[in-house]
Amino acid sequence: MSCQGASGVGTGNFQEMGPLDVDLQPRNSTWLQKADLIFVDNPVGVGYSYVEDDSLLVTTDWQQAADMTTVIKALVDVVPTLQRSPLYLVAESYGGKYAATLGVSIAKAVSAGQINITLGG
């Protein structure tokens, strides 16, 4: 079952492809056997993401891309093994538009030496 406007983290992870199903039982098959999965509700203020100061809510696609680039930079710092695997951005529905601007933002950060990852696609 899928819900419009539902959390991509909850839907994608538990109903579609994460390591546990909606009953928190391990799946026989998961993408985690081949790749790292990172689910993020984006932009801030949707799904499970929030801010305590409403002035931090984004109003443009490029602000969203900058926020997510910051998240990716922080993840690479905390999980350095992410530097060895190509990063593929995947989104559904309206998120596809956000994935495109995020890809450009990450590519610029890589070119500027601000983040050490390989953008796969």
Side-chain angles (χ1 to χ4, degrees), residues 14 16 29 36 53-54 56 75 82 86 92-93 98 100 105 112-114 118 121:
F14 296 106
E16 297 175 349
S29 177
D36 295 310
D53 178 353
D54 287 347
L56 298 174
L75 283 170
L82 295 175
E92 60 184 2
S93 187
Y98 289 139
S105 179
Q114 298 169 348
T118 299

Side-chain angles (χ1 to χ4, degrees), residues 88-105:
Y88 289 89
L89 304 173
V90 180
E92 60 184 2
S93 187
Y94 197 79
K97 148 180 142 134
Y98 289 139
T101 52
L102 175 57
V104 171
S105 179

Side-chain angles (χ1 to χ4, degrees), residues 13-33:
N13 189 12
F14 296 106
Q15 291 182 337
E16 297 175 349
M17 61 188 205
L20 303 176
D21 65 19
V22 293
D23 296 317
L24 301 179
Q25 297 301 308
R27 281 197 168 84
N28 292 332
S29 177
T30 172
W31 276 103
L32 281 176
Q33 295 167 339

Side-chain angles (χ1 to χ4, degrees), residues 20-99:
L20 303 176
D21 65 19
V22 293
D23 296 317
L24 301 179
Q25 297 301 308
R27 281 197 168 84
N28 292 332
S29 177
T30 172
W31 276 103
L32 281 176
Q33 295 167 339
K34 299 286 182 186
D36 295 310
L37 298 175
I38 303 168
F39 293 92
V40 179
D41 279 332
N42 179 57
V44 68
V46 302
Y48 293 114
S49 67
Y50 68 94
V51 292
E52 293 180 2
D53 178 353
D54 287 347
S55 70
L56 298 174
L57 294 170
V58 301
T59 57
T60 71
D61 296 348
W62 293 106
Q63 288 173 335
Q64 165 278 143
D67 279 359
M68 278 305 301
T69 300
T70 300
V71 169
I72 298 297
K73 286 178 187 176
L75 283 170
V76 168
D77 288 344
V78 173
V79 186
T81 56
L82 295 175
Q83 295 176 15
R84 295 191 299 262
S85 301
L87 174 67
Y88 289 89
L89 304 173
V90 180
E92 60 184 2
S93 187
Y94 197 79
K97 148 180 142 134
Y98 289 139

